[in-house]
Amino acid sequence: AQKVTQAQTEISVVEKEDVTLDCVYETRDTTYYLFWYKQPPSGELVFLIRRNSFDEQNEISGRYSWNFQKSTSSFNFTITASQVVDSAVYFCALSRNDMRFGAGTRLTVKP
Amino acid sequence: KAGVTQTPRYLIKTRGQQVTLSCSPISGHRSVSWYQQTPGQGLQFLFEYFSETQRNKGNFPGRFSGRQFSNSRSEMNVSTLELGDSALYLCASSPTGQGGSLGANVLTFGAGSRLTVL
């Protein structure tokens, strides 16, 4: 069975703080894909990153970075120097035959 | 290019009624997936259509159905509405689809249709 766990329901930080959103997944497949999506108040999910199960390289994109560790089945997301515009719900997802989302983490960045 | 368009954006129905939601995918995308989002259950996969065929289906009762037209536009229908069907229904499109070696496809989501059942 596939499962994604985002243990942090809500996180609140002050602007310019760094914040890490945790994601742990379960799957028996050897080939799978991991995603992060952002859902701002408007409701539309926005794609942030995709990783396949064979690529454990970390990735950095501006203030965003992702740490994928197969050994711990984790795919964590870090925002450096957070900004108010980062406030949103962030979803981690696992894809094989259908996309399974975690429960989401609501991030609030206060000015 | 235009994004994924969902209509209507908001609607209110009463128990027992039925509702039809529409989704127009990005031009050239042949796969359309539907998701239900509620505060209690989160984002749950409903079904996926590709080339007018339902390829995958989530764990929802038969009251939830969908279809896809030859132009890739999709509709989903919920019959005999229940209070628990109140949710944000999200549609997503991708070039080919979810699953297997195609599971790498990035989904582009619409803004959703918010259904309230009274």
Side-chain angles (χ1 to χ4, degrees):
Chain A
Q2 296 189 125
K3 184 179 178 182
V4 178
T5 301
Q6 294 179 257
Q8 305 151 306
T9 305
E10 294 191 34
I11 299 176
S12 181
V13 299
V14 177
E15 208 170 19
K16 297 185 182 177
E17 283 186 30
D18 298 347
V19 58
T20 295
L21 309 182
D22 297 333
C23 173
V24 174
Y25 63 92
E26 296 175 30
T27 181
R28 294 180 181 176
D29 295 320
T30 55
T31 301
Y32 53 88
Y33 301 87
L34 294 165
F35 297 78
W36 276 94
Y37 283 86
K38 172 183 179 179
Q39 186 177 39
S42 61
E44 189 170 332
L45 273 79
V46 176
F47 166 75
L48 294 176
I49 191 171
R50 171 188 61 206
R51 239 328 152 248
N52 74 51
S53 52
F54 298 105
D55 183 1
E56 285 195 73
Q57 284 188 6
N58 293 329
E59 179 152 339
I60 298 175
S61 176
R63 297 184 296 107
Y64 295 170
S65 62
W66 290 270
N67 179 252
F68 175 30
Q69 292 193 340
K70 283 182 77 171
S71 61
T72 56
S73 296
S74 65
F75 187 41
N76 297 336
F77 173 31
T78 297
I79 301 175
T80 302
S82 60
Q83 299 176 1
V84 173
V85 293
D86 295 327
S87 296
V89 181
Y90 291 85
F91 291 94
C92 179
L94 171 66
S95 177
R96 178 59 176 158
N97 292 314
D98 59 60
M99 189 168 284
R100 299 293 178 96
F101 287 86
T105 298
R106 180 178 298 279
L107 173 65
T108 302
V109 182
K110 300 178 181 177
Chain B
K1 54 184 176 182
V4 177
T5 303
Q6 291 189 246
T7 57
R9 289 293 314 279
Y10 303 91
L11 66 167
I12 300 173
K13 293 285 187 178
T14 56
R15 279 186 303 172
Q17 287 187 311
Q18 74 167 15
V19 66
T20 299
L21 309 178
S22 179
C23 173
S24 293
I26 288 175
S27 178
H29 284 194
R30 296 169 62 191
S31 169
V32 173
S33 305
W34 289 89
Y35 289 82
Q36 181 196 63
Q37 186 176 21
T38 61
Q41 300 298 318
L43 273 162
Q44 293 186 285
F45 172 72
L46 281 157
F47 28 65
E48 183 214 356
Y49 286 87
F50 180 76
S51 292
E52 302 178 66
T53 301
Q54 186 182 88
R55 288 207 301 193
N56 291 304
K57 189 177 189 302
N59 189 26
F60 277 81
R63 300 185 297 107
F64 292 81
S65 63
R67 60 178 176 169
Q68 186 180 33
F69 302 95
S70 59
N71 61 357
S72 294
R73 189 178 71 85
S74 177
E75 289 181 348
M76 68 162 283
N77 184 77
V78 187
S79 62
T80 319
L81 285 166
E82 301 176 358
L83 295 179
D85 297 332
S86 294
L88 179 66
Y89 290 88
L90 291 163
C91 165
S93 75
S94 64
T96 48
Q98 304 180 51
S101 60
L102 303 178
N105 280 286
V106 172
L107 301 182
T108 301
F109 284 83
S113 292
R114 185 168 294 282
L115 170 65
T116 301
V117 182
L118 302 176

